[in-house]
Amino acid sequence: ERQKHIRNFSIVAHIDHGKSTLADRILELTDTVSKREMQDQLLDTMDLERERGITIKLNAVALKYHAEDGETYIFHLIDTPGHVDFSYEVSRSLAACEGAILVVDAAQGVEAQTLANVYLAIDNDLAIIPVINKIDLPSAEPEKVRKEIEDEIGLDASDAVLASAKTGIGIEEILEQVVKNVPAPDGDLDKPLKALIFDSIYDDYRGVVLSVRVFEGTVKPGDRIKLMNGGTEYEVTEVGVNSPKPLARDILMAGDVGYITGSIKDIQDTQVGDTVTSADNPTAKPLEGYRKMNPMVYSGLYPTDNAKFVDLREALEKLQLNDASLTFEPESSQALGFGFRCGFLGLLHMDVVQERLEREFNLDLITTAPSVTYRVDLVDGSEKKVENPAEMPDAATIKAINEPFVKAQIMVPNEYVGAVMELCQRKRGIFDTMDYLDDIRVNIIYHIPLSEIIFDFFDKLKSNTRGYASLDYEIEDYRPSNLVKIDILLNSEKVDVLSFIAHVDFAEQRGRDITAKLKTIIPRQNFEIPIQAAIGSKIIARTNIKAYRKDVTSKIHTGDPDRRAKLLDKQKRGKKRMKSVGVVDIPQEAFMAVLQTG
Ligand code: GTP
């Protein structure tokens, strides 16, 4: 019967090891898309993903494979992101599968995120098919990597496929291994419907579209379904699969991965991780949901045009539907008006959300500098959570400020050990251990304040190690640190959204750096603007932006016309992203200045 010919699997890998390229080759080989339609990295549907060359949202496609045994199989391939910010999405897609292709770069070998993702797959009891990719590269060392997979992950890699997603070597063999080694789904067709929502999007015409993995029973148009967590009921209008465009089907049954629509308009009602069942004949127990991911980084998002506040809320609600790790609540700022405090998994996630809001919802936004959540012990014995530096209580009422620490695991070739340790030390890191993984690679563990990681740690790590280091981290605990709030005053007025928290030892330096930086970012006006940094009422740094002189635009009149047009365009865009605070115009860049110092 049909189930025996279904295979549900994901591809997991460290970032850049070639997952999306492999997915493209698989789509080509199975004729899911014609050569003409084939665009590189077809599964990365969002423009943003294509531009950055990274996968952000998971995507599921159904494809047909004619195997060597003469049978035709239905594959459901679920693509997953590889960046550390998005491991939540990885665990979601894995819960819908029986198998995973593990892609390892033949030149880079096993890296931090390879390990993290493969452990998620092992936790989900998936069959794992190791693939050593990029064997076309002159620097490829497939046999060494094979040994790494065995020694560091503990997987049998004797049958690992040697492949090149670029040239197409080994793709067929991978698909054969999927047929042979990934178990067919089981699940009783006659039992009540039980399906896992692993993703959902909002579509203006179809309403909410649920991506589901059916574990038991069947679902077809006309059925009444119930979302078990929320308790809401809907009539199904369409079921189908993505191939990769939506393709309606008569029915989805146990083992299938596809979508359900039911003119669900209220996006609050649907939750990723929830179980869909039959309203008339419900299943007794819902499926085990997902581990909830807590945001680690917070920042304020404000529309440049205050009238767009409601639009921003609607956009955030829609985005949240398809990005369960995003959180937001309203906040207001004296300087910026009404906006939202949003929680993100990391800086890349924050960037992606801001860009999606601007592109997909046509909003112009100001983002404030990211901050972590502090736990503050007050003199009166109570504890206060502070997600926004501006809300740090008065210093006199504080007994201690605790900040989140991460356990950071850095893998690096031994020649860069010194550089890595120096960086960690400078970022207030506490050394834990250092181990040699083989003759060359070293695994270094440090405990580092999360606030230091979210600034420019990753970029610095990459540049100090010529790109060779990989970083993986997890939040460990809260530890007391000697921290202070630093306020920024423009024209003698405190700008609440520019406040930040710093360690006492670095406070004065940071104050000096940031005032100097702001001086270069904030445009001159026809009067002098003092910039000050203060701790409480004590000024720790000051500088002035000189009054405007007429010749500042002369810069534009040089160079070729192309460049000039670009500059003007840039200026225009820059202008939009500007906020008047009192009498001073502050560009978006200024709100991020704190990230570039220290
Ligand atoms: P994320 O989606 O960002 O996690 O990355 P990914 O793992 O999907 O990697 P992607 O497919 O985007 O490939 C990363 C880079 O490696 C791209 O520049 C690819 O062209 C290149 N690449 C992928 N496979 C091969 C291969 O077999 N050989 C060579 N030489 N390059 C490859």
Side-chain angles (χ1 to χ4, degrees), residues 7-13 19-20 22-23 26 43 58-61 75-81 89-103 117-118 120-121 124 126-131 174-175 178 182 198 213 257 290:
R7 297 291 182 272
N8 297 317
F9 62 95
S10 278
I11 309 180
V12 297
K19 232 174 19 241
S20 305
L22 176 62
I26 292 177
L43 289 184
L58 57 94
N59 283 284
V61 292
F75 284 176
H76 293 120
L77 164 59
I78 300 180
D79 195 24
T80 60
E89 305 253 336
V90 177
S91 63
R92 277 162 50 179
S93 41
L94 293 183
C97 299
E98 278 81 28
I101 297 177
L102 169 69
V103 179
N117 286 333
V118 81
L120 289 176
N124 278 289
L126 303 190
I128 295 165
I129 298 177
V131 169
I174 295 171
L175 298 182
V178 168
V182 175
F198 65 88
R213 159 69 199 266
V257 175
Y290 297 112

Side-chain angles (χ1 to χ4, degrees), residues 187-257:
D188 198 332
L189 301 184
D190 300 324
K191 282 200 177 151
L193 174 67
K194 202 176 207 175
L196 175 73
I197 304 177
F198 65 88
D199 196 15
S200 54
I201 55 160
Y202 183 82
D203 180 304
D204 280 340
Y205 300 103
R206 298 189 291 169
V208 177
V209 181
L210 305 174
S211 289
V212 296
R213 159 69 199 266
V214 184
F215 281 94
E216 284 173 2
T218 61
V219 58
K220 58 181 187 310
D223 286 357
R224 285 199 64 77
I225 52 165
K226 178 173 163 179
L227 307 188
M228 292 185 83
N229 213 349
T232 49
E233 297 183 8
Y234 306 92
E235 187 177 308
V236 176
T237 48
E238 187 179 309
V239 300
V241 297
N242 296 314
S243 183
K245 296 199 181 66
L247 197 73
R249 286 268 174 85
D250 300 337
I251 192 167
L252 290 181
M253 50 180 84
D256 276 335
V257 175

Side-chain angles (χ1 to χ4, degrees), residues 189-354:
L189 301 184
D190 300 324
K191 282 200 177 151
L193 174 67
K194 202 176 207 175
L196 175 73
I197 304 177
F198 65 88
D199 196 15
S200 54
I201 55 160
Y202 183 82
D203 180 304
D204 280 340
Y205 300 103
R206 298 189 291 169
V208 177
V209 181
L210 305 174
S211 289
V212 296
R213 159 69 199 266
V214 184
F215 281 94
E216 284 173 2
T218 61
V219 58
K220 58 181 187 310
D223 286 357
R224 285 199 64 77
I225 52 165
K226 178 173 163 179
L227 307 188
M228 292 185 83
N229 213 349
T232 49
E233 297 183 8
Y234 306 92
E235 187 177 308
V236 176
T237 48
E238 187 179 309
V239 300
V241 297
N242 296 314
S243 183
K245 296 199 181 66
L247 197 73
R249 286 268 174 85
D250 300 337
I251 192 167
L252 290 181
M253 50 180 84
D256 276 335
V257 175
Y259 66 84
I260 301 177
T261 65
S263 52
I264 308 169
K265 289 281 180 238
D266 198 352
I267 55 183
Q268 312 283 20
D269 294 342
T270 60
Q271 230 176 2
V272 165
D274 200 354
T275 302
V276 185
T277 190
S278 154
D280 307 322
N281 180 20
T283 182
K285 230 177 81 197
L287 294 156
E288 201 182 312
Y290 297 112
R291 185 165 53 107
K292 190 157 164 43
M293 291 288 288
N294 291 316
M296 303 213 266
V297 179
Y298 290 82
S299 81
L301 282 182
Y302 292 84
T304 46
D305 173 2
N306 284 334
K308 290 281 167 79
F309 175 78
V310 175
D311 295 2
L312 176 56
R313 180 169 58 213
E314 278 171 13
L316 283 167
E317 281 169 359
K318 284 179 187 168
L319 265 195
Q320 190 180 43
L321 178 74
N322 134 315
D323 182 351
S325 44
L326 169 69
T327 65
F328 58 93
E329 53 186 67
E331 73 170 2
S332 62
S333 145
Q334 279 162 8
L336 297 182
F338 291 99
F340 293 92
R341 193 85 196 156
C342 300
F344 307 97
L345 298 178
L347 276 197
L348 178 64
H349 186 211
M350 178 179 112
D351 246 27
V352 164
V353 168
Q354 184 188 357

Side-chain angles (χ1 to χ4, degrees), residues 13-22 41 44 52-56 79-83 103 105 133-137 163-167:
H14 188 79
I15 192 159
D16 273 353
H17 283 198
K19 232 174 19 241
S20 305
T21 312
L22 176 62
Q41 287 162 20
D44 292 347
R52 297 193 176 198
I54 56 169
T55 308
I56 298 155
D79 195 24
T80 60
H83 189 274
V103 179
D105 188 315
N133 188 35
K134 305 198 191 182
I135 57 160
D136 60 295
L137 290 177
S164 166
K166 192 170 176 184
T167 65

